[in-house]
Amino acid sequence: MDYRKESPEILREFLFYHETIKGHSRLTIDEYFLDLRTFFRYMKIRKGHAADNASFDDISIMDVDLEFVKSVSVADVYEYLAFLSRDRPKHGNSKHSDYGLSASSRARKIAVIRSYYKYLTVKANKLDENPVADLDSPKVRKSLPRYLSLDESVKLLDSVEGANRERDFCILTLFLNCGLRISELAGLDLTDLRADSVRILGKGDKERVVYINDACADAINDYLQVRKALAGADTKAFFLSSRRTRISTSTVHSLVKKRLLEAGLDSTKYSSHKLRHTAATLMLRNGVDVRTLQELLGHEHLNTTQIYTHVENNSLRDAAARSPLSGYKK
């Protein structure tokens, strides 16, 4: 997929701006493109600019221009939200997908639309007024992150045996101790390793240094002994697949699920991202302050990190214990 060839100029310049000036990753830019392509496909149908028999996924947006963009109203966007809520497949590549996107998915798509129109109004000066300035986002239900307990984390690490033991143990150890994203872990290079730290390339190509503890250092050294013996392997990547090329995020996802299942844990409830939640939760419980955790996890905004502070709040626990009825027994 190349948005430079598949998007009209009025959209392409917005994507160029976010890639070159804002420094967003290629993955993020691709998601922006896909979200806006879906939006303009629906708008073409709503405004009678698409053939009656055209398949939704075959509708071209190459003819979308400034006049078309200007014609969109808040009412149009709310109808688009209804379409996402009722008629949009949850999994576009599946023939058996349920329909209707979650509130969080719809909120993300609305955020991209708002960003696009703000760009046209404030940065590009192509719109005198922002037609979606008063657009409200769907109310998203706040849920606490799911995570492994300390005992479950130890159980997971203790269960790692068999093929790729050193590699998989190292991956799980870094997830549980450093709270890395799956893309950050898969993207690690040999040159990113230091004696007491690891250089991480995070979202938006932002670099940060994560210091490692003894458990991580031992796991890295054990895997390096195996890694060095692999002739003809990728000379740059740290973690390798069975084909001796850089491990993919899908492979990491699969091996985490496999190791969870082997440990007797519910692999449908947990994933590599839940291991990141686990690392964050366990560190907060053991005295790491939220500002330090924000830097460790690579969060741009503190409110993203603060969700972990609600997992276990000792002051709330103490308040429950102080209730005058706390000792009542029938």
Side-chain angles (χ1 to χ4, degrees):
M1 178 179 59
D2 188 346
Y3 73 82
R4 294 170 299 179
K5 299 178 181 178
E6 299 179 45
S7 56
E9 183 179 353
I10 192 67
L11 174 54
R12 196 162 55 242
E13 60 185 45
F14 166 76
L15 300 173
F16 280 149
Y17 168 75
H18 277 275
E19 184 171 5
T20 59
I21 304 300
K22 302 294 284 185
H24 290 161
S25 70
R26 178 65 184 273
L27 179 61
T28 298
I29 301 303
D30 287 345
E31 288 176 349
Y32 285 180
F33 165 65
L34 292 174
D35 284 344
L36 288 169
R37 184 178 68 178
T38 300
F39 172 65
F40 284 122
R41 279 174 171 171
Y42 183 81
M43 286 299 111
K44 287 189 67 173
I45 294 173
R46 175 168 168 78
K47 296 179 179 296
H49 290 260
D52 293 338
N53 59 348
S55 168
F56 187 89
D57 291 334
D58 292 333
I59 296 174
S60 171
I61 63 166
M62 293 302 290
D63 58 343
V64 170
D65 56 14
L66 182 60
E67 289 304 312
F68 185 87
V69 170
K70 282 181 179 181
S71 71
V72 173
S73 67
V74 171
D76 291 331
V77 182
Y78 286 144
E79 183 171 315
Y80 173 63
L81 276 175
F83 161 74
L84 295 178
S85 179
R86 295 171 178 265
D87 304 318
R88 185 66 176 162
K90 290 182 179 180
H91 308 288
N93 295 325
S94 173
K95 295 181 179 179
H96 307 289
S97 173
D98 292 333
Y99 289 84
L101 302 186
S102 66
S104 59
S105 294
R106 284 180 275 130
R108 190 200 73 189
K109 294 180 185 298
I110 291 302
V112 175
I113 294 171
R114 294 174 70 176
S115 176
Y116 177 61
Y117 276 91
K118 182 178 179 181
Y119 164 81
L120 291 176
T121 308
V122 178
K123 295 294 182 182
N125 295 316
K126 293 193 173 184
L127 294 179
D128 295 328
E129 294 184 6
N130 185 344
V132 300
D134 297 326
L135 180 64
D136 294 323
S137 293
K139 186 175 182 179
V140 179
R141 181 177 64 87
K142 293 183 179 180
S143 59
L144 297 179
R146 184 172 287 166
Y147 59 94
L148 297 176
S149 67
L150 178 58
D151 288 343
E152 288 172 329
S153 300
V154 172
K155 185 179 180 181
L156 175 61
L157 293 171
D158 282 345
S159 69
V160 180
E161 296 292 347
N164 299 312
R165 183 186 70 81
E166 292 84 1
R167 183 199 68 183
D168 293 2
F169 183 82
C170 186
I171 285 173
L172 294 174
T173 299
L174 289 176
F175 270 139
L176 289 168
N177 284 274
C178 303
L180 302 185
R181 299 180 177 95
I182 189 170
S183 59
E184 294 171 346
L185 186 137
L188 282 175
D189 290 333
L190 289 167
T191 53
D192 293 329
L193 307 177
R194 303 290 185 272
D196 63 344
S197 64
V198 178
R199 171 187 167 272
I200 304 297
L201 188 63
K203 281 187 174 182
D205 292 333
K206 294 178 181 177
E207 294 184 13
R208 70 182 189 279
V209 173
V210 172
Y211 290 92
I212 57 175
N213 54 29
D214 291 341
C216 291
D218 289 343
I220 288 172
N221 289 331
D222 287 345
Y223 173 61
L224 275 175
Q225 300 308 310
V226 176
R227 170 71 177 79
K228 291 175 181 176
L230 297 176
D234 187 316
T235 58
K236 188 177 181 181
F238 177 43
F239 288 115
L240 299 176
S241 68
S242 58
R243 296 180 180 178
R244 301 186 179 184
T245 57
R246 181 183 298 277
I247 200 167
S248 66
T249 55
S250 60
T251 298
V252 175
H253 178 75
S254 296
L255 75 84
V256 168
K257 291 286 189 181
K258 174 176 176 287
R259 295 301 185 179
L260 285 165
L261 194 62
E262 292 173 347
L265 301 170
D266 190 345
S267 61
T268 63
K269 290 171 55 179
Y270 302 109
S271 63
S272 56
H273 198 65
K274 297 300 184 292
L275 300 187
R276 175 171 158 89
H277 291 332
T278 299
T281 302
L282 294 179
M283 281 187 272
L284 270 177
R285 284 184 172 182
N286 285 272
V288 176
D289 67 87
V290 70
R291 287 283 184 183
T292 301
L293 188 61
Q294 176 191 4
E295 187 171 346
L296 179 74
L297 296 176
H299 286 160
E300 185 174 356
H301 302 293
L302 184 62
N303 59 359
T304 308
T305 315
Q306 285 176 329
I307 185 174
Y308 298 106
T309 64
H310 300 297
V311 171
E312 181 160 316
N313 190 315
N314 287 330
S315 62
L316 293 178
R317 184 186 296 273
D318 183 59
R322 289 175 182 270
S323 167
L325 293 173
S326 63
Y328 174 77
K329 294 182 180 180
K330 185 174 180 180

